[in-house]
Amino acid sequence: MIAYNKESKIFHLKNQSISYVFGILKNGQLGHFHFGPKVGDDYDQGLFRNSVARPLTACCFEEDQAFSLDNERLEYPTYGTTDFREPAFQLMRENGSRVTGFTYERHEIIKGKASLEGLPATYANVPDDCETLKITMFDSVIGCYIILSYTIFKDAPVITRSVRFINEGQEDVKILRAMSTSIDLFDSNFDWLQLSGAWARERHIKTRRLCEGIQSVGSVRGASSTNHNPFVVLKRPSCNEFRGEAYGFSLVYSGNFLAQAEVNQDGVSRVMLGIHPQNFTWHLESGSTFTTPEVVMVYTEQGLNHLSQVYHNLYRNNLTRGQWKEKPRPVLINNWEATYFDFNEEKILEIARASKKLGIDLFVLDDGWFGKRNDDTSSLGDWHSNTAKLPNGIGGLAAKIRDMGLGFGLWYEPEMINKDSELYRKHPDWIIGDPDRRLSHGRNQYVLDYSRPEVVDNIFDQMCQVLDGAPITYIKWDMNRNITEAFSRMLSSDKQGELFHRYILGVYDLYERLTSRYPEILFESCAAGGGRFDPGMLFYAPQGWISDDTDSVERLKIQYGTSMVYPISSMGSHVSAIPNHQVFRETSLKMRGDVAYFGTFGYELDVAKMSEEEMNEVTDQIRFFKENQKLIHKGDFYRLVSPFEDGGNTTAWMSVSKDGEEALVGYYQVLGDVNNGFKRLKLQGLLPEKRYRVNDEYTATGDTLMHFGILIKPSNLIMPTSDDRSGDFLSYTYKLKAE
Ligand code: GLA
């Protein structure tokens, strides 16, 4: 898969569908030549490079009028030696010089892929899955090495990259910027697609045309954030869901990030992703190393839908770990929207008993079970049972729930502390913040300084005490505020720029310790909903709560946008009460279920208060979901109709089993329309010759269903019976089974 041509000094990473080509330029730096469809091997550098002499416009190397980095497409560029675009990295010496000169030293090609110490990363299931190229660059003046790692996967159009800095010189250097990837694409005829939003409307799809200058998204909040996701796509303007060229870039990281494209005077697009340089410096002491997070790059000619499927497969099979990677996920009930902080043991047992009857697998006790917590002003940091509410403690309650035949899950917010807590009274200096300044809080809470190992140890010990004493099978790990007044009281002045990254390393460390000690526990990540929904989290927690907005209409956009890169099996989705608690909308139980099916599936309401009719419907929903869970979680997902286009009134998507034998389609209409024409929904991914039974009502072949489509019953033809109360908030599911 990886070849090096000694004559032309070209590296070629290739599989059945893609090629990634770059080479050693005559000054020893690396030039980027091609990332895209598979190409042949018989070329020299002249074919790829933009090497025309432009001495009037470009600064040249002293000994060569025709050689300017301004004209070249580069692989891991630095600023200051004739290339004026934003650099991939920047180092500063003790004398203040930021000029560096890393040149090719050696390379090695290895089977498989090494893990990244302390960081999440994709992995090979067997060494033959992929091959890795490691290129060592050296700057002899400072004695520093940079190792660029590239992995190509055998059966997927995927290249991953990360970078390691090694200081073997005498002096300390400062890393001012260290992106995980930088790639100069030949032209700029692209649309830039990003996933952006806010609390309760996470990961909406936004696109715009690339143009000269810099366009970027990022986060400096200490978490990847609800506002922007560490994922962007560059797609040809004509590329749609099923046709056309697209490049995906996804950063396996949960902290501050930058994703940026810079189009220069020649129309070359430099795309880079990595840790956000704002507030970042790393003191690379003599003898030390620094590793960047990994970026996952995908290329396709088959449209956005294929791009997403590549990410889904990779993140399901080569990023998610542990027992829950393969096991069917439990259908859960969470008490948050049912009780908020107002519960006691009897109330919890009442909901659990009703849940068991409905077929639910797991009861999750949310916020309020610890310390003296009755509202959001106290007790974060005190992770022991709130015995005023739970006289038998978590151990007693969990045992009772286990005896009912349900799993038991618990909410934690391990990174946070309230000033009204035993932990704060004992360790007021453990919070992040400048002691000489006013502090800001978020929801009355402060952020623990996870760059300090003793803080992580303390929380780990507290959590173990609970987990060792109770049959707990699930943890919801929440994180409800971002970092302000970033200052650590432990780090020396020259290391304060490391705080944000060290914080995330501390979070990863705690996750690693807990997941290895309790391999049977299913972790669900959460950050006030989807405020840290990223590939880094998926390495530890195979599912995440995608939004605090549980309204089924709002969820259409959130789930649709999230599916751009994240697998359906990772998206926490619940049926909640009406009127909905975020938007006060009333949608049918059917629609709430039909939307939540395309996720991990669960409930977040007081099932003990449901009518018998509702309970019967819920029982049917759970049975239906369990019958189709494998198809939904492991099949191929297709987006059919976008809620971001044509007014957004309709959305449709489907999952098709890997063998093409089964499919489940979801169709949703927000508002009813009057006397409109008939609509047909064209399906995808079916076996053209196979005959499918649709909802046990009729049969049709795969090609008919894909090219003619399913006829959708218009809302205005529904009679206002008790079953069909309104044409608004309408949904249909279609189950297809090959005969
Ligand atoms: C966050 C989560 C919610 C819930 C509350 C509890 O907002 O996203 O699901 O757990 O915290 O305080």
Side-chain angles (χ1 to χ4, degrees):
M1 283 184 270
I2 300 177
Y4 176 61
N5 182 322
K6 274 195 193 133
E7 265 94 74
S8 60
K9 297 190 173 161
I10 283 182
F11 295 96
H12 191 166
L13 291 75
K14 175 159 71 169
N15 63 20
Q16 286 309 308
S17 50
I18 57 161
S19 279
Y20 190 99
V21 188
F22 64 101
I24 307 164
L25 300 176
K26 57 181 166 184
N27 70 338
Q29 281 181 241
L30 299 178
H32 177 80
F33 298 152
H34 169 78
F35 177 31
K38 185 173 72 153
V39 293
D41 289 306
D42 48 344
Y43 37 63
D44 61 29
Q45 292 198 10
L47 188 70
F48 290 110
R49 284 178 47 213
N50 309 350
S51 49
V52 277
R54 291 196 287 196
L56 284 182
T57 56
C59 294
C60 312
F61 279 44
E62 276 174 346
E63 60 280 11
D64 191 344
Q65 284 281 316
F67 188 71
S68 170
L69 295 177
D70 214 10
N71 293 336
E72 300 288 340
R73 288 182 294 130
L74 299 168
E75 193 57 29
Y76 197 63
T78 179
Y79 173 81
T81 55
T82 72
D83 174 27
F84 297 98
R85 289 162 284 185
E86 291 237 326
F89 74 99
Q90 196 165 33
L91 303 183
M92 187 168 76
R93 295 179 61 187
E94 281 171 355
N95 70 3
S97 169
R98 295 162 193 229
V99 182
T100 45
F102 283 87
T103 52
Y104 170 84
E105 174 96 357
R106 60 178 178 273
H107 74 268
E108 60 173 325
I109 296 167
I110 47 175
K111 259 201 185 333
K113 183 172 189 297
S115 57
L116 295 186
E117 203 190 324
L119 283 166
T122 56
Y123 58 86
N125 286 301
V126 289
D128 278 349
D129 268 3
C130 56
E131 235 170 62
T132 299
L133 167 66
K134 282 183 183 290
I135 299 201
T136 303
M137 311 289 292
F138 183 55
D139 183 328
S140 57
V141 175
I142 50 175
C144 284
Y145 294 88
I146 293 179
I147 299 181
L148 302 173
S149 295
Y150 299 79
T151 297
I152 179 161
F153 280 80
K154 191 171 68 183
D155 297 319
V158 175
I159 305 274
T160 67
R161 284 180 67 174
S162 70
V163 183
R164 189 169 172 82
F165 294 80
I166 303 171
N167 185 357
E168 287 188 4
Q170 299 304 313
E171 60 176 299
D172 293 356
V173 298
K174 251 189 188 319
I175 304 177
L176 305 177
R177 179 183 180 99
M179 304 306 278
S180 300
T181 192
S182 176
I183 179 169
D184 288 350
L185 298 172
F186 193 81
D187 67 291
S188 55
N189 184 25
F190 291 108
D191 283 342
W192 159 282
L193 181 154
Q194 67 194 49
L195 302 177
S196 296
W199 174 81
R201 55 175 168 83
E202 294 88 342
R203 289 172 300 286
H204 283 201
I205 296 173
K206 308 277 172 186
T207 48
R208 65 184 125 128
R209 186 60 59 88
L210 217 57
C211 69
E212 279 86 349
I214 291 176
Q215 32 259 287
S216 72
V217 290
S219 168
V220 289
R221 295 167 173 265
S224 50
S225 91
T226 53
N227 309 60
H228 303 295
N229 199 257
F231 168 73
V232 290
V233 176
L234 256 57
K235 68 175 198 64
R236 296 295 178 193
S238 59
C239 166
N240 62 23
E241 283 286 2
F242 303 108
R243 257 182 299 277
E245 271 196 308
Y247 293 90
F249 300 88
S250 165
L251 186 67
V252 187
Y253 190 57
S254 311
N256 290 350
F257 77 93
L258 176 68
Q260 160 174 313
E262 177 174 6
V263 179
N264 78 351
Q265 67 279 1
D266 298 322
V268 170
S269 304
R270 171 168 295 175
V271 187
M272 56 174 69
L273 267 83
I275 293 177
H276 205 302
Q278 186 177 317
N279 296 321
F280 171 81
T281 52
W282 195 272
H283 191 86
L284 195 67
E285 282 161 27
S286 167
S288 70
T289 66
F290 176 81
T291 305
T292 73
E294 174 174 273
V295 76
V296 176
M297 311 192 294
V298 170
Y299 170 78
T300 181
E301 291 172 297
Q302 298 163 53
L304 292 174
N305 212 89
H306 181 245
L307 183 103
S308 302
Q309 288 180 357
V310 172
Y311 277 111
H312 293 181
N313 288 332
L314 188 81
Y315 286 173
R316 267 189 311 223
N317 301 326
N318 301 82
L319 181 65
T320 305
R321 300 176 303 165
Q323 296 180 0
W324 290 99
K325 174 178 168 180
E326 296 300 338
K327 279 210 283 197
R329 306 287 169 72
V331 172
L332 68 82
I333 181 142
N334 178 303
N335 73 309
W336 179 241
E337 289 196 9
T339 65
Y340 295 101
F341 293 106
D342 185 17
F343 61 82
N344 55 28
E345 186 179 286
E346 193 33 52
K347 178 67 203 162
I348 294 303
L349 291 173
E350 185 193 25
I351 300 177
R353 273 191 292 268
S355 307
K356 178 65 191 167
K357 281 195 205 137
L358 301 170
I360 285 170
D361 304 308
L362 167 72
F363 183 91
V364 178
L365 183 57
D366 210 277
D367 195 353
W369 61 267
F370 49 91
K372 296 188 169 47
R373 187 138 164 119
N374 291 314
D375 55 33
D376 63 16
T377 59
S378 87
S379 301
L380 289 171
D382 299 344
W383 299 108
H384 50 79
S385 304
N386 180 340
T387 41
K389 283 181 183 173
L390 307 171
N392 302 303
I394 283 298
L397 174 65
K400 286 184 190 171
I401 288 186
R402 177 203 51 205
D403 294 346
M404 286 178 198
L406 286 171
F408 182 72
L410 214 47
W411 180 94
Y412 274 100
E413 199 177 356
E415 299 152 69
M416 299 293 158
I417 186 165
N418 288 114
K419 285 196 172 172
D420 182 6
S421 67
E422 294 157 28
L423 190 68
Y424 183 79
R425 283 185 278 275
K426 214 161 148 199
H427 298 289
D429 62 329
W430 277 11
I431 59 175
I432 289 178
D434 182 341
D436 298 336
R437 308 271 170 200
R438 171 193 55 71
L439 281 186
S440 314
H441 70 94
R443 211 190 181 202
N444 304 304
Q445 64 197 51
Y446 299 82
V447 185
L448 282 168
D449 184 354
Y450 263 44
S451 73
R452 300 172 68 158
E454 72 271 30
V455 174
V456 178
D457 287 348
N458 176 292
I459 300 298
F460 176 69
D461 291 343
Q462 286 200 57
M463 290 177 80
C464 290
Q465 275 191 24
V466 175
L467 301 177
D468 288 345
I472 288 167
T473 59
Y474 164 106
I475 286 177
K476 176 176 171 186
W477 178 322
D478 209 341
M479 194 284 295
N480 277 308
R481 65 157 290 186
N482 293 138
I483 295 175
T484 53
E485 294 92 26
F487 183 82
S488 165
R489 298 180 205 195
M490 189 203 67
L491 291 173
S492 54
S493 60
D494 56 352
K495 287 187 186 295
Q496 287 296 335
E498 301 176 12
L499 174 59
F500 278 105
H501 184 59
R502 284 186 183 274
Y503 176 86
I504 284 295
L505 293 180
V507 171
Y508 289 153
D509 177 40
L510 183 58
Y511 254 119
E512 189 65 45
R513 286 154 77 176
L514 290 168
T515 48
S516 355
R517 183 171 164 138
Y518 304 102
E520 69 290 353
I521 292 184
L522 170 63
F523 282 77
E524 176 154 351
S525 72
C526 175
R532 202 165 58 183
F533 198 97
D534 56 59
M537 282 292 128
L538 286 187
F539 187 66
Y540 305 97
Q543 59 191 61
W545 185 227
I546 58 170
S547 180
D548 273 349
D549 195 336
T550 55
D551 171 63
S552 55
V553 173
E554 294 295 311
R555 278 281 176 141
L556 291 172
K557 284 186 172 156
I558 298 169
Q559 289 176 212
Y560 195 96
T562 304
S563 81
M564 199 49 78
V565 59
Y566 302 104
I568 305 309
S569 55
S570 70
M571 298 186 202
S573 58
H574 300 170
V575 172
S576 62
I578 50 165
N580 172 266
H581 291 195
Q582 290 77 40
V583 297
F584 310 104
R585 188 177 282 132
E586 301 209 13
T587 56
S588 66
L589 186 52
K590 173 167 167 48
M591 174 150 177
R592 283 174 278 154
D594 285 351
V595 175
Y597 288 150
F598 290 86
T600 57
F601 198 66
Y603 289 81
E604 181 137 352
L605 72 179
D606 191 345
V607 282
K609 286 191 185 140
M610 280 184 157
S611 68
E612 206 181 315
E613 199 188 333
E614 285 172 324
M615 285 197 181
N616 290 339
E617 195 172 340
V618 168
T619 308
D620 289 345
Q621 286 181 337
I622 293 170
R623 190 182 311 119
F624 179 82
F625 176 75
K626 288 185 177 175
E627 277 164 19
N628 291 291
Q629 182 171 20
K630 185 167 172 220
L631 157 64
I632 297 167
H633 286 180
K634 302 205 164 155
D636 291 325
F637 185 73
Y638 292 87
R639 291 179 295 268
L640 303 176
V641 181
S642 170
F644 297 103
E645 287 168 15
D646 298 333
N649 202 40
T650 41
T651 301
W653 50 46
M654 69 187 287
S655 292
V656 184
S657 63
K658 288 279 178 199
D659 61 6
E661 292 284 316
E662 279 189 300
L664 183 69
V665 182
Y667 178 90
Y668 314 90
Q669 178 173 302
V670 178
L671 294 180
D673 43 11
V674 177
N675 203 19
N676 271 341
F678 292 97
K679 292 175 190 149
R680 284 187 289 134
L681 178 67
K682 293 185 185 180
L683 305 187
Q684 290 284 337
L686 302 174
L687 301 170
E689 318 265 282
K690 277 264 176 192
R691 181 160 280 280
Y692 293 87
R693 177 154 285 281
V694 183
N695 277 354
D696 271 335
E697 286 167 9
Y698 59 91
T699 69
T701 56
D703 46 14
T704 305
L705 291 164
M706 291 192 289
H707 304 307
F708 180 79
I710 287 180
L711 196 64
I712 304 286
K713 190 163 63 162
S715 55
N716 57 311
L717 292 189
I718 293 172
M719 300 307 289
T721 64
S722 57
D723 286 347
D724 299 315
R725 282 184 303 167
S726 152
D728 295 345
F729 314 128
L730 187 76
S731 66
Y732 299 118
T733 54
Y734 302 91
K735 176 67 193 282
L736 278 64
K737 245 180 143 44
E739 289 198 320

